[in-house]
Amino acid sequence: MTPKENPGVATSGASNDLNGSDCNDSSKDMSLDAFESYELIEQDLKDSEWSIELLDVASEHQNRKSSFFAVLTRRVVRANASKAALVSESRAEIDTSKGAVHTGQSDSVHSGQNIIWECRMAGPDRPAIVQPRTSPGGDEIPASTEESVSFRDLPTMKAMGTGDKACVIGFDTEFTEKGEKRVIDSYQFCVVDPEDDSILIDVVILPLQGQRILLEDALSIVVKEAGLWRLVDGLADHRGVARRDFWVASEPKKSRDRLFKSKLRLVLAGHFLNADLTAFERPASQRNGGEKYHDVLRHVTSASGGLVSLQPMRIVHKSDYGRRWLPISLIVRDTMGQVADGHSRLEDLGHSCGVEKIELKESVIENMSRYRRLNLVDFLEYGVNDAHIVVEYLAILWGLHAVPPVTISGGGARALKDGVSRYLGIESGAEFRAKFQGLVVRSSVEDSDDGLSYYAARNLTPVDGDANAVHSAFKDAYHGGLNSCPRPGYFSDLTYDHDIQSAYPSAMASIFDVDYEAGVISSVIRERELTLDDFPLGCVTPLVAFVGWEFPQGVEPCLPVKVEQSIIYPRTSEGVGASQGEGMCDADFEGFSGAWCAGPELYLALKLGARVTCQMGYSLKVLTRNGEPSMSLRSALRQMVIDRSVAKKIFGKGSLEELTIKIATNAGYGKLAQDVAPRSGWNSFEENMESIGGSAVTSPYHAAMTTSLVRALLLAISNEIEILSVTTDGFITKESNIEALECFGIADVFRDSRGALTGDRTVWEIKHLQDDLLNFTTRANISLHMKVEDSEGQVIEKGGVCAKGGLKTPKR
């Protein structure tokens, strides 16, 4: 097929040769092998749907060495487009320069047990998704959620989304490892036609001389071939804006700001971009140690196993020898962060969205260069198929032309924040930070707080001295899950692996809000013993204290002490605490021995008969709403649980829709606790480690109370029955029926929470049962099988527990 003519670009056809008049001067730098490679590509695609052109990306730039690529383009109908067209959604014009603009979508994908376009078609084939008028707990749901909605219209999904619009470009590469060198065989891109949602535009760039392409050059090719520049007012063509129209030599920053008023907003999305994003050529200025603003690898960070950008990156492609500038605002997303655990293979994504991944033999994948040379058409189909999967998968989650959240867990934090805000009547981010988190944006005046990393990294500070003290105390009282193996050995008796149902969401939904606006500390407790009178709201009384203790014989202690990355539960606090710090062994110093502990475990300690002495503690003011204690997390989580139930009913258990909301719901606790225990991450722009900072909902109070409550339930039940092993939210025991156990009143807190969230007050579920348990260390217990008889006497074989504790079998 004759390549498209492109002024300023060397083209090849039947009448061209290396010295032909149709080639510009740069073609003289093209090797004979590269030219012959291009002619073979032309020949292989002669009767195909691909158009082809020969492009020297350096032809319009000064002082850049020629770099030749074959650019292949085609337009294809999206999968299931004919049935997707039945979806009655209006389509609005997309203007990616203006952020959130509504656009309709033609769905063409399936998920889980049901095909999505079948479930979402208007008409008799599509069951309406109708929200119940009341929650399982009996509370009324806002009227807006009673209407028939699509999956993306469920309140949780709407809250998880960013609300921004941009052109989503699916991206993938093929490469061949040759020794320590990686040869890039192709760059493939896929974008939905901005003028016709039923069409996909594929663009494939094939290197001809073993050279890599700059990201801005590749994006400019996609913008031209797909006509994306037409979406932005102010862009006359794919080359962008004339430099003379915005540039003032004395004002370079203001000039760029003027240029980016006509920016094109793009999302570059791929699956496991750790491999693909590194396939681009690094900017020359970066290799020489110069400015780093144009290197995409300096603007991404690792998240959920992939690479993402937390902020948009400005990219400028210059053409016509620098006289035309194309401004691009680029967002990077990785579908590794958009999937459930155990479903992260591209095959899983493809099955969910109705675009099955093409499988190749391992021997073929190991030498894609050979596959491209011998089977070019099949090579192209294989490559663009992966980009199709990315585009279609993101479309079913967030809609066409929608900017996805950074990760599903990040979207979960957004949904949690939205639910809390609706419950408390909060209308702004500043109000949310002050009312829920007890934080404000740091002023220009130096603040006197202790600069805890979770808020200091976000340029925030506590609202007042009370909040500052409480943040610090709950940060020190925050610990992770309870994990131990109190009884190692082999057990041939029947044993049961019990789990707390939705442990952390249930605990979160039990925590009261506190009143930061009124001065959050209700009373200061100094140098006295704690009593149950200090807990008027039971184990969820908002209280934190630095305490010493002594438990009676015959009970399992329940007050935690942090030792490096673990927690222990000593019978007495003597020998732990401030006086036992590093270098204090030989010091003549007698300090108060103890630790910071949160309310739930303090309450349980008193119930167990411990003597607990408080050196310093804070009892907090509970925020009230309509005369009742405020529980905003319960309200937010209830909506998410309802939406998950709706998704499960319509799309099936284990479907993409149900798992998406499940991940978002379970991620809430992690987002509440983000960076409360300081964590560092790699800053690729500055090339150093730094604090990751808190999330949009980070709260040491809510996080410490939540995890303390879960541990307290497990510690309480271990004081009622014998526990063989305990791991975070469950345990193994010989007892079968534990639902009736009161756990010193703590079980009732979970029952109330479960009832409010789901309408079912059941706390425990049996995850595994086995008759051959080998229990040898924490998080390591194995059972080969389980044989039980059903009610009719039939023998049923079931798999037992299998927790490897990090152990791996050697590979041969």
Side-chain angles (χ1 to χ4, degrees):
M1 182 176 292
T2 304
K4 295 180 289 185
E5 294 296 331
N6 185 16
V9 176
T11 60
S12 175
S15 61
N16 295 114
D17 57 43
L18 284 177
N19 300 311
S21 58
D22 290 337
C23 295
N24 68 8
D25 291 339
S26 63
S27 65
K28 297 177 182 178
D29 298 326
M30 188 178 187
S31 67
L32 180 60
D33 288 344
F35 193 83
E36 291 178 344
S37 176
Y38 177 78
E39 288 193 319
L40 287 174
I41 292 171
E42 261 194 323
Q43 182 177 346
D44 289 342
L45 300 180
K46 183 177 180 180
D47 297 321
S48 75
E49 57 190 336
W50 292 94
S51 64
I52 177 173
E53 66 179 305
L54 176 63
L55 178 65
D56 176 10
V57 297
S59 63
E60 293 185 323
H61 301 274
Q62 294 177 335
N63 303 319
R64 276 182 61 179
K65 184 180 178 181
S66 294
S67 186
F68 288 93
F69 299 88
V71 177
L72 316 180
T73 307
R74 72 171 182 179
R75 293 167 60 86
V76 295
V77 178
R78 291 178 64 200
N80 303 319
S82 59
K83 292 188 177 182
L86 294 176
V87 179
S88 57
E89 294 185 89
S90 61
R91 183 181 186 282
E93 182 179 356
I94 310 166
D95 184 347
T96 62
S97 68
K98 297 179 181 179
V101 179
H102 174 73
T103 179
Q105 174 181 349
S106 298
D107 294 297
S108 60
V109 288
H110 72 77
S111 168
Q113 301 175 10
N114 301 300
I115 298 176
I116 283 182
W117 48 257
E118 288 180 349
C119 291
R120 299 199 181 101
M121 289 192 300
D125 293 327
R126 183 214 190 278
I129 300 180
V130 182
Q131 288 276 39
R133 291 182 178 272
T134 58
S135 73
D139 291 338
E140 197 170 317
I141 300 173
S144 61
T145 63
E146 297 177 12
E147 303 171 355
S148 298
V149 292
S150 70
F151 175 59
R152 288 187 304 278
D153 288 331
L154 291 174
T156 297
M157 292 304 296
K158 290 177 70 174
M160 287 173 64
T162 64
D164 289 339
K165 294 294 179 181
C167 285
V168 178
I169 300 175
F171 166 58
D172 188 46
T173 63
E174 304 303 332
F175 54 84
T176 301
E177 301 283 356
K178 294 186 177 180
E180 296 182 357
K181 183 180 179 182
R182 183 168 58 144
V183 175
I184 309 302
D185 297 305
S186 66
Y187 304 83
Q188 46 267 3
F189 303 86
C190 167
V191 62
V192 175
D193 188 335
E195 297 180 341
D196 185 350
D197 286 352
S198 68
I199 299 296
L200 287 176
I201 300 175
D202 295 328
V203 180
V204 179
I205 301 173
L206 301 179
L208 297 176
Q209 295 179 296
Q211 294 169 300
R212 299 189 178 196
I213 193 169
L214 288 168
L215 174 60
E216 55 263 37
D217 288 336
L219 291 177
S220 72
I221 293 171
V222 177
V223 169
K224 174 195 171 187
E225 298 297 331
L228 302 183
W229 55 272
R230 297 186 179 93
L231 298 173
V232 182
D233 293 337
L235 297 185
D237 57 34
H238 66 276
R239 297 176 298 170
V241 182
R243 188 176 187 273
R244 64 176 180 272
D245 293 339
F246 65 88
W247 188 260
V248 177
S250 61
E251 298 178 340
K253 186 179 183 304
K254 290 184 179 180
S255 296
R256 288 179 67 90
D257 290 342
R258 283 191 289 269
L259 169 67
F260 271 83
K261 289 182 179 180
S262 299
K263 65 181 179 292
L264 177 61
R265 301 183 79 241
L266 302 178
V267 175
L268 186 67
H271 190 71
F272 192 62
L273 287 178
N274 306 55
D276 300 313
L277 206 59
T278 54
F280 291 108
E281 181 183 356
R282 302 291 292 275
S285 58
Q286 172 61 29
R287 294 197 306 268
N288 296 334
E291 68 173 282
K292 51 202 174 186
Y293 299 97
H294 306 298
D295 186 354
V296 67
L297 295 181
R298 290 294 197 108
H299 292 264
V300 294
T301 188
S302 178
S304 301
L307 292 177
V308 298
S309 60
L310 302 181
Q311 299 294 333
M313 172 189 177
R314 282 185 170 186
I315 290 180
V316 176
H317 179 262
K318 301 176 183 178
S319 59
D320 194 18
Y321 297 97
R323 289 190 286 265
R324 300 293 293 270
W325 292 23
L326 176 64
I328 296 173
S329 177
L330 184 69
I331 297 168
V332 178
R333 291 291 181 265
D334 199 315
T335 48
M336 289 290 291
Q338 309 283 329
V339 294
D341 291 341
H343 297 76
S344 61
R345 300 181 309 159
L346 200 57
E347 292 90 332
D348 299 326
L349 275 67
H351 182 68
S352 295
C353 67
V355 184
E356 298 295 339
K357 178 172 172 55
I358 298 173
E359 299 293 342
L360 294 178
K361 294 181 179 179
E362 189 65 30
S363 58
V364 175
I365 294 175
E366 289 177 354
N367 193 344
M368 294 302 287
S369 296
R370 183 175 185 273
Y371 190 51
R372 169 185 146 177
R373 186 172 63 254
L374 299 180
N375 304 89
L376 179 60
V377 173
D378 292 342
F379 172 89
L380 294 175
E381 288 295 337
Y382 174 81
V384 297
N385 179 258
D386 289 354
H388 284 196
I389 292 174
V390 169
V391 169
E392 297 288 12
Y393 180 78
L394 291 177
I396 67 173
L397 285 185
W398 315 113
L400 284 181
H401 319 300
V403 177
V406 176
T407 60
I408 288 182
S409 61
R414 189 187 297 269
L416 198 66
K417 180 180 178 181
D418 179 77
V420 169
S421 297
R422 283 188 282 106
Y423 177 84
L424 295 176
I426 292 172
E427 297 182 356
S428 69
E431 187 179 1
F432 178 87
R433 287 190 294 268
K435 201 162 189 173
F436 182 79
Q437 298 175 289
L439 299 172
V440 294
V441 175
R442 185 184 295 270
S443 68
S444 57
V445 179
E446 183 176 351
D447 294 291
S448 59
D449 62 73
D450 54 10
L452 297 179
S453 64
Y454 85 88
Y455 59 73
R458 296 290 184 260
N459 197 37
L460 302 171
T461 189
V463 294
D464 57 21
D466 276 12
N468 187 48
V470 167
H471 288 322
S472 180
F474 274 106
K475 179 256 183 188
D476 289 336
Y478 171 77
H479 307 293
L482 175 64
N483 300 282
S484 69
C485 181
R487 287 206 57 192
Y490 176 75
F491 301 88
S492 58
D493 302 326
L494 195 61
T495 56
Y496 300 83
D497 185 358
H498 296 278
D499 269 13
I500 309 170
Q501 296 195 68
S502 301
Y504 282 91
S506 298
M508 290 163 59
S510 304
I511 306 304
F512 298 118
D513 298 321
V514 293
D515 194 347
Y516 286 107
E517 293 181 311
V520 71
I521 296 177
S522 174
S523 62
V524 177
I525 306 172
R526 287 281 294 171
E527 297 182 351
R528 67 169 175 86
E529 289 188 17
L530 294 179
T531 71
L532 288 174
D533 291 338
D534 293 310
F535 295 85
L537 297 174
C539 66
V540 286
T541 298
L543 187 147
V544 63
F546 190 87
V547 296
W549 62 87
E550 185 172 354
F551 283 86
Q553 296 291 328
V555 303
E556 291 292 332
C558 67
L559 293 180
V561 175
K562 185 175 181 179
V563 178
E564 295 180 349
Q565 301 302 314
S566 301
I567 53 174
I568 62 172
Y569 286 87
R571 188 167 302 282
T572 175
S573 61
E574 184 178 351
V576 302
S579 63
Q580 305 301 313
E582 183 177 354
M584 296 296 291
C585 298
D586 301 323
D588 185 16
F589 176 80
E590 296 182 3
F592 186 92
S593 295
W596 283 101
C597 299
E601 285 160 309
L602 290 170
Y603 173 85
L604 178 60
L606 295 175
K607 282 284 193 176
L608 292 173
R611 179 184 178 186
V612 182
T613 303
C614 175
Q615 184 191 49
M616 167 66 77
Y618 307 111
S619 181
L620 310 187
K621 295 177 183 177
V622 176
L623 184 68
T624 60
R625 180 177 178 269
N626 299 327
E628 298 292 333
S630 175
M631 304 179 78
S632 61
L633 288 178
R634 175 172 290 188
S635 176
L637 288 166
R638 180 162 52 220
Q639 182 66 69
M640 299 173 81
V641 169
I642 291 169
D643 290 347
R644 178 185 172 189
S645 177
V646 171
K648 181 177 179 180
K649 179 180 179 180
I650 299 298
F651 302 108
K653 182 178 180 180
S655 64
L656 167 70
E657 291 83 354
E658 190 230 346
L659 289 177
T660 298
I661 299 181
K662 177 183 177 180
I663 296 167
T665 304
N666 292 338
Y669 164 71
K671 290 301 180 178
L672 285 175
Q674 182 171 308
D675 206 33
V676 172
R679 289 180 56 197
S680 295
W682 177 253
N683 183 323
S684 54
F685 190 79
E686 298 294 343
E687 293 190 316
N688 58 28
M689 298 294 291
E690 66 178 19
S691 170
I692 65 171
S695 74
V697 294
T698 293
S699 169
Y701 160 69
H702 290 93
M705 288 289 290
T706 295
T707 188
S708 177
L709 185 58
V710 173
R711 292 195 304 269
L713 179 60
L714 296 172
L715 289 161
I717 206 166
S718 70
N719 275 281
E720 294 193 324
I721 61 175
E722 183 181 59
I723 302 298
L724 308 181
S725 177
V726 58
T727 305
T728 307
D729 61 353
F731 61 91
I732 300 176
T733 180
K734 296 180 182 180
E735 303 292 331
S736 60
N737 186 8
I738 63 171
E739 192 62 43
L741 297 177
E742 293 298 324
C743 301
F744 304 92
I746 298 175
D748 281 339
V749 173
F750 279 83
R751 291 188 184 104
D752 290 344
S753 179
R754 293 283 302 158
L757 291 177
T758 68
D760 181 357
R761 291 174 58 84
T762 305
V763 174
W764 303 97
E765 65 176 343
I766 296 176
K767 192 172 183 180
H768 304 101
L769 66 161
Q770 51 276 319
D771 57 5
D772 61 344
L773 176 69
L774 177 59
N775 194 40
F776 51 94
T777 187
T778 302
R779 289 181 176 269
N781 22 67
I782 306 293
S783 171
L784 294 179
H785 66 280
M786 170 62 203
K787 292 184 179 180
V788 295
E789 290 187 0
D790 63 15
S791 58
E792 298 179 355
Q794 299 294 320
V795 176
I796 302 174
E797 293 195 12
K798 295 184 178 181
V801 66
C802 181
K804 301 177 183 178
L807 299 176
K808 296 182 180 179
T809 56
K811 294 182 179 180
R812 293 183 178 181

